[in-house]
Every structure is written in structure tokens, then in C-alpha cells.
Amino acid sequence: MAGAGRVPQLLGGLPGNPARRLYNVQETSQQQEQSARGSAEELQQEDKLSIGSKLCYAIGGAPNQMAGSATAFFLQIYLLDIAQITPFHASLVLFIGKACGAVADPVAGFFISKSKWTKIGRLMPWMLGCTPFTIVSYFFMWYLPPFVVGRVAWYLTFFSLFQALTTLFQVPYSALTMFLSTDQKERDSATAYRTAVEVLATLIGAALQGQIVASAHAAGHCSANLIVNTTESSSSAHNTSGLPEPVDFLSHGRKVYVFAAGVIGGVYLIGIIVLFIGVKEKDDPYALNSDKTIPFFKGLRLTMKYGPYVKLTAAFLLISTAVQLEQGNFVLFCTHAADLRNHFQNLVLIILVSAAVSIPFWQWFLQHFGKKTAACGISWMIPFTVLLVTIPNLALAYVVAFVSGLSIAASLLLPWSMLPDVVDHFRLLNPHSKGHETIFYSSYVFFTKMSAGIGLGISALSLELAGYRTGTCKQSSSVILTLKILIGAVPAILILTGLFILLFYPITEKSRKETEYALETLRKNHPSTDNLSENDENTLV
């Protein structure tokens, strides 16, 4: 009775809506249903996103994915075979660069969470401001400087800058999902559009990069460099300064990589213009005037203690690390361990085409069977990849590429589709705080980037320990074995461990719908906390 007695009191506190209008005990059930249905329809209409708006949002993130795809597939082999730095130095570049990007995530989240609302939104200024600097750092990351001694410092500087600047874009861009609409279906639809376009951009980025730079890694240059490789093989793995460079080969490689960087860098301008023109950022629709922005470090402590978020992050940081290892070592594996040197660009193309066309299937699957069930599709690549490692065959390689694309698509779509559910659930438990969205997204990206950096660093270091020789067409059996382990066994273990953790993820389809209904009720009622006691504030939901 005490709880029932509070209902008219809370409803009576609504501004401009007297209690007798909202809580009339003589109102018929039919009138109540019609009123609720009308309010729900008004909210749905208000939160409806046009196809054009979803496409503009998706296109805005495409340049980052194009650049990320080219980096994931080709940066390691570029550092080893074109820049000709040692595997140990390459591991430092990859790890420290990823670590800088990871550290930039909570820093970006901290400052973005303190940003004030402007005429173009709270998140849009960050994306506009960092794009020109991102283009410059990306271009110089693929530029081969004329000096040899300082090459490691050069690539470490520009790769770290690129990772940090893409973070300043990606954190607000990812969090923007929460400010497009309050309707979970609309957000899921926008996420599907975004993922489909990002996978397509990943495909275009890798295809452009692969087709442009393929001649720099073709088998034809091996005969020209055979004398250099055999006479300097013992010192090339440990001393880049004394490496006699095949001038024609390196000159050609320098030109094609710089050209590819210029093409992809130019796409950034198109993406940010489309995003700015076509997307309207909304302020927090649930927040009251009396609500206060949650302090960053307090919010960070709360997120680190929040069970659903911890489980989701732990699962997908392992899965994303596995995918990064596959991408980072796939070209090396094809070139040195599977005798597929002349086919790697086509195999990369198959992987990404498969991923792009399967996004609508995964979106349909998760809507009908649930997001946790859809996560099982990530494991499909494991048996085929292990089979390719065991039997390196061209026909089998194309099958593996196709299946791997299906799994990669699921691994890209699911975390960004599930993370808004976690944020909604947290909002339900903390109804009088705002500004926590960027904390969730920045810390998630931090952990996934850091784990990927550690994985890629260990990967390159493993090649160093195995005796990888830069600029050499024929690698030792220990290097080939290491590449097979990095492509087959390690990703399989990481994926299976991540899926096991995901079994304990508590947000089901039923609880997700209950959360959506509760938040809609909170939004419709929208009571003023000025009229509530402290106890009422804590027990409102």
C-alpha cells in the first residue's frame, strides 16, 4: 500500500500535468490503453531515423575503417620488407603505437565527457577537429624516409600519432549511436548500417591497398634480390643500418605505398563532410534539468564494477585480438608459409567481400535468435583456418577466406550492437546521472586496442625470435611454424575463451526488452527531481 500510495505523488509532480489527469482511478482500462498506445506512437515517430540519416552516419566512419584495414593487413609486412626494420623494432612500433591509441581512449573520454553542448552538438566538434591531423599522420606513416638510422623513430612517431588521433574520432563517433535515437530497434538498425558500410569500407581499403602494393611483394623481385638475401641473411635480422638496399625494388615499393596512402587519406575529407551534413546529434533524451553529469573517474569506477560490461568487454577483447592476429599475419602467412605470394590480395578481397555481404544476414539472425546465439558464428573460422595451416592449398585458401569473412562480420557487428544494451541497463540502475556514454565507449575501445597492441607486439617479437629475415623471400622452417601458430592455434584459443566468457553475459533478449520498456516509461513520465525526496529518487525506477 505504501508503494501504491507513492504513485499518485510521483505522477502529481509532473510539470504541467496535474495528478488528477494522470492518475484518475475512474479512468477505464480502454482509455488507458489508447493513451499509452498514442504516447508510444508519438515517441516512436520522434525517434524514427531516416535511411539517409543512417547512411550518412555509417559513411562518416568509413575512412577510419579503410585506413584501419590497410594498416591491419599491410603495415607489418611493410615495416619488415619495405622499411626493412627488424621484427623486434616492428614489434615495438606496433605495440607502442597501439598502446598510445589505447591510452588516448580514456583521455578522450575524460575531455569529451566534460564538453559542453554546442550548436553542432557535443561530439561533432571533436570529430571535425581531429580529421585534418589524422590525414597527415596517416600519409607519413606510409612514407619511406631517405635516412635509415632513424626509421624506427619515424614510424613509431607517426603510427602512435595516427592511433591517438583515430581514437579522438572513434570515441565520439561510437558514442554518437546513443544520441541518434532512444529506440533500441532504430539504434540496432543504425548500427547494422554502420557495420555494413564499415565492412564495405574495410573491403575497399584492403582491396585498394592490396591491388596497388601487390607488385611490391610479387615473386618477381626475389630473383633480383637473391644475392643480397643470401649474403646478408645473417646480419639483416639484427642490423638495418648496414643492410644493402635493392634500390629499384625499394624505390618502387616506396612509390606504390605512398600513392595508396594518398588515396585513402583523401577519403577522410569526404567522410567527415557527409557525417556533418547528414547527421543530427540529439542531447541526452532521458536527462532532467536537475540531473548532473557523472564525474569521469567515478563513472570509470562504476563501469569497471558493472558485471555485464566487464563480461562483454573481456569476451570481445579476446575475440578482437584473435581477429587482429589473423589480419596482421595473413599476408605474411600467404607470402612465406603457404606459397600463395601471388594470391594474397585476392584472398584478402574474398575475406572482406564475404564479411560485407553477410552483415544483413547477421542482423536478421540476431533479431530472430538473439545476440548471444549469433556470437557462435565467430567460431566458424576456427576449423577452416586450422585446416589451411595443416594443408596449405589454393582452393582451400579461398574457402577459408570466405568462412573467415563470415566470422569477422559477426565479430564486428555484435559488440557495437550489444554495448548500447549495456549502457541502457546501466542507465536504468542510475537514472539521475548523465554523460556516462562516452565513458563506456572510450574504456571499451581502450581495452580492445591495448589487447590488440599486446597481441601484435608479441606476434612480431615471436617472428624475431624465430629468426625472420627482412627482405628475404625464403624464410626458415621455424619462421614458417611460428606463422602457422599465429594464424591457427592462437586465434582459436582466444576465440573459444572469449565465447566461454560470453556465456555468462547476463543481458538476454527478455531483459533487454524489459529495460527498453522501463526507459520508455521513465522518459514519458519525466518527473522533476526537485519535487522528490532523496529516497524517492533512488527508488523511482
Side-chain angles (χ1 to χ4, degrees), residues 313 315-327 378 411 415 444 447-449 451-452 494-495:
T313 302
F316 278 102
L317 71 84
L318 293 174
I319 292 171
S320 64
T321 301
V323 173
Q324 288 279 338
L325 285 174
E326 289 277 357
Q327 292 178 331
I378 301 173
S411 71
Y444 174 79
F447 287 116
T448 53
K449 278 188 177 180
S451 64
L494 292 175
I495 289 173

Side-chain angles (χ1 to χ4, degrees), residues 32-68:
Q32 291 176 344
E33 292 175 2
Q34 290 176 350
S35 177
R37 189 181 303 113
S39 298
E41 289 176 356
E42 290 178 3
L43 289 174
Q44 289 176 358
Q45 193 66 29
E46 178 185 345
D47 294 327
K48 192 75 174 177
L49 294 174
S50 67
I51 294 178
S53 180
K54 295 175 186 176
L55 280 173
C56 289
Y57 171 62
I59 291 172
N64 248 7
Q65 299 304 313
M66 290 181 65

Side-chain angles (χ1 to χ4, degrees), residues 219-237:
H221 79 271
C222 291
S223 57
N225 299 330
L226 182 60
I227 298 176
V228 172
N229 291 333
T230 53
T231 58
E232 299 293 335
S233 60
S234 60
S235 62
S236 63

Side-chain angles (χ1 to χ4, degrees), residues 223-398:
S223 57
N225 299 330
L226 182 60
I227 298 176
V228 172
N229 291 333
T230 53
T231 58
E232 299 293 335
S233 60
S234 60
S235 62
S236 63
H238 302 285
N239 180 20
T240 57
S241 60
L243 183 67
E245 300 181 356
V247 177
D248 292 339
F249 166 62
L250 288 184
S251 176
H252 174 69
R254 178 190 299 115
K255 290 178 181 178
V256 295
Y257 270 99
V258 165
F259 178 74
V263 172
I264 294 178
V267 179
Y268 269 97
L269 292 177
I270 299 174
I272 195 63
I273 291 172
V274 171
L275 181 68
F276 177 72
I277 294 175
V279 176
K280 181 181 179 181
E281 180 184 345
K282 299 178 181 179
D283 205 355
D284 191 339
Y286 296 114
L288 313 179
N289 292 332
S290 56
D291 288 348
K292 295 182 178 180
T293 301
I294 187 171
F296 180 82
F297 292 106
K298 178 182 178 182
L300 190 60
R301 288 194 300 270
L302 289 174
T303 57
M304 293 302 100
K305 296 178 181 178
Y306 185 50
Y309 179 72
V310 172
K311 292 181 177 66
L312 181 70
T313 302
F316 278 102
L317 71 84
L318 293 174
I319 292 171
S320 64
T321 301
V323 173
Q324 288 279 338
L325 285 174
E326 289 277 357
Q327 292 178 331
N329 292 285
F330 185 76
V331 176
L332 282 171
F333 173 80
C334 292
T335 302
H336 298 297
D339 196 23
L340 299 171
R341 179 186 297 272
N342 295 326
H343 301 277
F344 72 81
Q345 67 271 26
N346 297 326
L347 293 171
V348 169
L349 196 63
I350 293 295
I351 291 174
L352 298 174
V353 167
S354 172
V357 299
S358 64
I359 290 294
F361 164 76
W362 286 119
Q363 178 66 14
W364 171 87
F365 190 95
L366 66 85
Q367 288 179 345
H368 288 78
F369 300 100
K371 298 177 182 180
K372 288 180 66 174
T373 305
C376 297
I378 301 173
S379 64
W380 291 357
M381 72 167 71
I382 295 176
F384 292 94
T385 305
V386 172
L387 191 60
L388 176 63
V389 168
T390 308
I391 310 173
N393 176 271
L394 180 59
L396 180 60
Y398 278 98

Side-chain angles (χ1 to χ4, degrees), residues 388-538:
L388 176 63
V389 168
T390 308
I391 310 173
N393 176 271
L394 180 59
L396 180 60
Y398 278 98
V399 175
V400 171
F402 177 78
V403 177
S404 296
L406 299 178
S407 297
I408 289 174
S411 71
L412 292 175
L413 175 63
L414 283 171
W416 299 113
S417 181
M418 298 168 80
L419 192 54
D421 301 337
V422 173
V423 176
D424 276 349
H425 195 262
F426 182 86
R427 155 72 74 178
L428 192 61
L429 299 177
N430 301 270
H432 299 294
S433 65
K434 60 181 180 180
H436 56 271
E437 293 84 4
T438 52
I439 299 175
F440 274 99
Y441 281 87
S442 63
S443 55
Y444 174 79
V445 177
F446 166 78
F447 287 116
T448 53
K449 278 188 177 180
M450 183 60 76
S451 64
I454 294 173
L456 291 174
I458 294 175
S459 168
L461 186 59
S462 299
L463 293 175
E464 167 83 8
L465 297 175
Y468 186 94
R469 295 175 294 177
T470 57
T472 301
C473 296
K474 184 72 173 177
Q475 298 293 339
S476 65
S477 58
S478 60
V479 172
I480 294 174
L481 177 61
T482 301
L483 286 170
K484 289 182 176 180
I485 293 173
L486 293 173
I487 283 289
V490 176
I493 294 172
L494 292 175
I495 289 173
L496 292 176
T497 305
L499 293 176
F500 177 76
I501 295 173
L502 205 59
L503 291 175
F504 302 96
Y505 175 70
I507 298 179
T508 62
E509 291 303 301
K510 180 181 178 181
S511 64
R512 186 175 68 87
K513 292 178 181 178
E514 291 173 350
T515 300
E516 181 181 19
Y517 175 77
L519 286 176
E520 285 182 0
T521 303
L522 177 68
R523 186 185 179 209
K524 286 187 292 183
N525 291 342
H526 213 279
S528 172
T529 56
D530 295 335
N531 297 323
L532 300 178
S533 66
E534 182 178 350
N535 182 63
D536 289 333
E537 290 181 12
N538 294 331

